[in-house]
Amino acid sequence: MNYYQFQGSKTLLVLFHGTGGDEHDLVPLAKQIDPQASILSLRGEVSENGMNRFFKRTSFGVFDLENVKEEAKKIHTFLQEKTKEYERIIYIGYSNGANMIGAMMQLFGNTIPYAILLHPMQVLPDSKPIQSSVCITYGTQDTMITPEQTKKFIEFLEQQGAAVTTLSFAHGHQISVQEIDSVKRWYESL
Ligand code: MLT
């Protein structure tokens, strides 16, 4: 597994980039949210025409569910070892990375206490009960992952027991400065 690591406080931010990104992409965002926190940022191990992803898809929005489960298990096992010494762990993912975190919450239930999912959608149909506190953002003009897709996922997570805070912004699939500020406020309220 390729990753970037920063040793800071006893709080660990575990980062999952979007399609075509790498382990460095979300580090500036994590530093803005909590400059003191430790960081463990993963690189997705699936390649789609040279673009890093956390799981395979057969076409846009059509996912290889066996591969999702396989990759999720690998990451879960890797993280169990790497996250042991921390007091508080917050998962942060964008787009494809957020989708992987969502899939992991569904597969492994309560092993993810806190998550920030930027522009996610649901990937797996089934779920264990989820007691995570989750902050979810979406862009009202997002055409890559539509507001409807994200809202459907929020409803689903709430039905499984998750406590979801939803933040929406008048833009598309990109992450805005205002969005980071709002997410930071949610983080500081934990
Ligand atoms: C996915 O494949 O996880 C979503 O379509 C988002 C993305 O393209 O990254």
Side-chain angles (χ1 to χ4, degrees), residues 134-157:
V134 191
C135 176
I136 294 187
T137 71
Y138 67 88
T140 55
Q141 278 126 56
D142 195 338
T143 50
M144 296 264 286
I145 293 182
T146 65
E148 289 67 37
Q149 285 173 311
T150 302
K151 283 192 245 175
K152 207 167 144 239
F153 188 37
I154 291 167
E155 218 172 280
F156 176 83
L157 288 174

Side-chain angles (χ1 to χ4, degrees), residues 29-74:
L29 178 141
K31 293 269 185 201
Q32 273 174 273
I33 292 175
D34 185 346
Q36 270 80 47
S38 295
I39 294 172
L40 176 60
S41 185
L42 307 183
R43 187 196 301 174
E45 294 208 310
V46 165
S47 171
E48 181 184 280
N49 304 319
M51 294 189 297
N52 300 318
R53 286 178 52 84
F54 285 95
F55 53 83
K56 287 184 198 162
R57 61 181 166 188
T58 44
S59 64
F60 197 80
V62 183
F63 306 115
D64 177 340
L65 299 188
E66 281 317 303
N67 181 257
V68 174
K69 289 181 206 161
E70 206 178 295
E71 293 297 321
K73 275 182 202 142
K74 269 202 285 188

